[in-house]
Amino acid sequence: ATTPAERAIELRRQLEDANYRYHVLDEPSIPDAEYDRLLRELDELEAANPDLVTADSPTQRVGNAPSSKFAEVRHALPMLSLGNAFTDEEVQDFVRRIDERLERPHLYFSVEPKLDGLAISLRYEDGRFVQGATRGDGATGEDVTANLRTIKAIPLTLRGSGWPRVLEVRGEVYMPLATFHAYNERALKEGGKVLANPRNGAAGSLRQLDPRMTAQRPLSFYAYAVGAVEGGELPASHSQTLARLREWGFPVSAENDVVDGVDGLLAYYRRIGEKRDVLPFDIDGVVYKLDDYEGQREMGFVSRAPRWAIAHKFPAQEQMTV
Ligand SMILES: Cc1c[n+]2nc(N)[nH]c2nc1OC(C)C
């Protein structure tokens, strides 16, 4: 027979494993009904043994009591903004500036869809999620930790091994299009407020003072960078770092790739542009990043935007008014 504590640990492991397979590997491993049954069993076990409850138990994802307002968080590393390119020529200029300074036979770029959501910074200490904040002005943001805990795509504890003692992960919290449409259909039927676009939906849901409201409007998350890192080493390139983030339990977009030179960038831009209408989330462009960190260090930043990265935007889509 197992003690309540052992049973709770076993249930948590099964639930977090199912969560990882569903949100990170896109391979649901158990049916939702089974997931809910396990969660209910853990909930009852914790109710009967309150000392078993931990902040990172899956039962805590339903959100705790609301706070009066959001505390301010100073980002250990500023959250950067991105310069924009709107034409192929501007992309060619971006690559030429790097080419002139680095003088390499090949320039490899990490390329990613640019989700139209909310930039967020997540802080993990010894593998546990301890704080999450909005971008704010880049230097300080709002503490939305309680709301972020309700987002199942955000790991409460890291998987695998080899993660640094302190790890900050940056990424985009977004509202999947399916959630956005379902929310608006219900709002129309019940005469509630209709969301203008998924980005507003994500911002509104994340800035709810009551995390239980956030939990009712399921959001998702994609990691796209790391911030402060202490007590550990990262790989030599951004793409290798994203692969580690995925192993540690963070969703990373399957559309990401590594390409060679400006032709590779523009081919990627066209490829994602053609898929734009069938992607399950809103994007407003793609992001090109020089992949190796050594090259990024050599290129540095201008004001608050890196010289080594740029967003190549799509023409604005006329938002379908519901
Ligand atoms: C602001 C931003 C936004 N995005 N979006 C993606 N996919 N990557 C990415 N990188 C960003 O900034 C980097 C400079 C870390």
Side-chain angles (χ1 to χ4, degrees):
T2 57
T3 66
E6 287 162 343
R7 182 65 185 143
I9 290 168
E10 175 51 28
L11 284 166
R12 262 180 220 139
R13 199 198 53 70
Q14 286 181 25
L15 287 159
E16 286 303 321
D17 187 58
N19 214 34
Y20 171 75
R21 291 175 187 285
Y22 182 89
H23 284 279
V24 179
L25 303 185
D26 291 339
E27 302 159 1
S29 58
I30 56 175
D32 292 359
E34 171 65 5
Y35 183 91
D36 294 343
R37 193 192 63 71
L38 292 171
L39 190 61
R40 208 172 25 257
E41 184 186 341
L42 178 58
D43 214 19
E44 286 157 8
L45 197 63
E46 288 178 353
N49 306 272
D51 57 325
L52 286 181
V53 180
T54 59
D56 48 45
S57 169
T59 57
Q60 303 308 301
R61 287 196 185 272
V62 294
N64 298 322
S67 65
S68 61
K69 64 182 181 58
F70 297 111
E72 197 172 85
V73 171
R74 171 162 290 284
H75 299 301
L77 271 185
M79 287 184 72
L80 303 164
S81 51
L82 279 173
N84 289 331
F86 294 93
T87 66
D88 289 5
E89 290 68 32
E90 288 173 358
V91 175
Q92 284 155 355
D93 292 345
F94 163 68
V95 173
R96 186 180 311 111
R97 282 194 295 273
I98 297 174
D99 204 21
E100 281 162 2
R101 193 178 289 213
L102 298 191
E103 292 176 340
R104 290 181 185 168
H106 283 276
L107 288 175
Y108 292 104
F109 291 90
S110 204
V111 289
E112 309 164 14
K114 187 172 180 305
L115 273 77
D116 196 7
L118 239 71
I120 288 292
S121 184
L122 305 171
R123 185 175 176 86
Y124 290 78
E125 291 174 359
D126 299 317
R128 297 163 68 110
F129 177 50
V130 295
Q131 187 174 64
T134 60
R135 186 179 175 286
D137 63 6
T140 59
E142 291 171 316
D143 185 328
V144 285
T145 306
N147 294 11
L148 291 168
R149 283 191 188 284
T150 70
I151 299 176
K152 292 194 171 120
I154 292 177
L156 296 173
T157 53
L158 299 186
R159 288 172 68 87
S161 63
W163 19 266
R165 194 176 45 72
V166 172
L167 172 69
E168 274 188 3
V169 173
R170 270 84 197 269
E172 202 86 10
V173 163
Y174 66 96
M175 181 176 272
L177 283 170
T179 312
F180 169 69
H181 293 308
Y183 182 89
N184 272 353
E185 265 166 48
R186 211 184 68 201
L188 274 174
K189 222 180 301 180
E190 296 169 1
K193 196 173 69 62
V194 163
L195 296 169
N197 56 55
R199 192 196 181 292
N200 291 1
S205 178
L206 202 53
R207 296 170 57 85
Q208 283 291 331
L209 282 175
D210 182 347
R212 289 166 296 195
M213 290 293 291
T214 308
Q216 284 158 23
R217 282 199 250 173
L219 301 178
S220 198
F221 174 76
Y222 270 136
Y224 60 59
V226 292
V229 169
E230 292 167 31
E233 287 297 305
L234 284 180
S237 74
H238 173 67
S239 54
Q240 288 168 312
T241 298
L242 290 181
R244 294 306 306 271
L245 292 184
R246 196 177 164 86
E247 285 167 18
W248 294 336
F250 295 96
V252 171
S253 174
E255 305 296 340
N256 291 358
D257 204 351
V258 177
V259 301
D260 178 358
V262 66
D263 295 344
L265 297 181
L266 297 177
Y268 180 75
Y269 177 80
R270 305 224 194 298
R271 175 151 63 90
I272 296 298
E274 281 155 16
K275 295 176 89 166
R276 191 179 183 191
D277 291 340
V278 294
L279 291 175
F281 40 72
D282 260 3
I283 60 172
D284 59 358
V286 294
V287 180
Y288 306 142
K289 298 172 188 172
L290 187 63
D291 195 32
D292 70 294
Y293 286 144
E294 177 49 40
Q296 292 184 10
R297 277 190 290 274
E298 287 178 50
M299 291 309 296
F301 306 84
V302 56
S303 77
R304 279 227 304 267
R307 285 200 191 89
W308 45 265
I310 199 165
H312 187 177
K313 310 296 280 280
F314 290 120
Q317 247 178 337
E318 62 294 332
Q319 283 290 346
M320 298 289 292
T321 49
V322 270

